[in-house]
Amino acid sequence: MKKYRIGVEVTLEVIGGKWKSIILYHLTTGRKRTSELRKLIPAITQKVLTQQLRELEKDGIVNRTVYYEIPPKVEYELSEYGLSLKTVLDSFCMWGENHLDKVYGDKSAVLECWPDDTYEHI
């Protein structure tokens, strides 16, 4: 059994890395198809997106629903357990935006989707 020193280690192990927090943040606004997530996160490859979603599903954070139709349709959403991460993700987002303001004087100079409605649900 792996031992941890502090809870932050556990949190970062589960939602850390380059993509998981971003995927989860986009899922806080509701259920998404893989293609929608790819549009929201254009730099991620299909392989990595699928891998990250499967890991999040394995950890019980994301629910995957398969619709057996033609063409097949798969949707992802936060599980009830995953929804408990919303305040953490919102805090990450707000801290990042405040940091951009501090460093650049105006986050809109470097935050591509500001003032888009992507962040209005905070």
Side-chain angles (χ1 to χ4, degrees), residues 23 26-27 30-47 49-50 53 64-65 69 71-77:
I23 293 166
H26 286 300
L27 290 176
R31 183 179 300 169
K32 303 274 185 300
R33 293 181 69 173
T34 308
S35 59
E36 292 175 281
L37 288 168
R38 286 288 313 275
K39 287 177 188 170
L40 291 166
I41 315 166
I44 195 170
T45 66
Q46 182 65 47
K47 178 184 174 186
L49 177 60
T50 300
L53 285 166
R64 178 176 183 255
T65 305
E69 54 189 44
K73 179 174 145 182
V74 178
E75 292 181 333
Y76 295 90
E77 64 183 335

Side-chain angles (χ1 to χ4, degrees), residues 4-39:
Y4 300 92
R5 292 183 159 270
I6 56 173
V8 171
E9 289 178 72
V10 181
T11 304
L12 290 176
E13 186 171 298
V14 176
I15 68 166
K18 187 172 181 178
W19 302 112
K20 284 184 181 177
S21 296
I22 297 168
I23 293 166
L24 291 170
Y25 190 80
H26 286 300
L27 290 176
T28 63
T29 62
R31 183 179 300 169
K32 303 274 185 300
R33 293 181 69 173
T34 308
S35 59
E36 292 175 281
L37 288 168
R38 286 288 313 275
K39 287 177 188 170

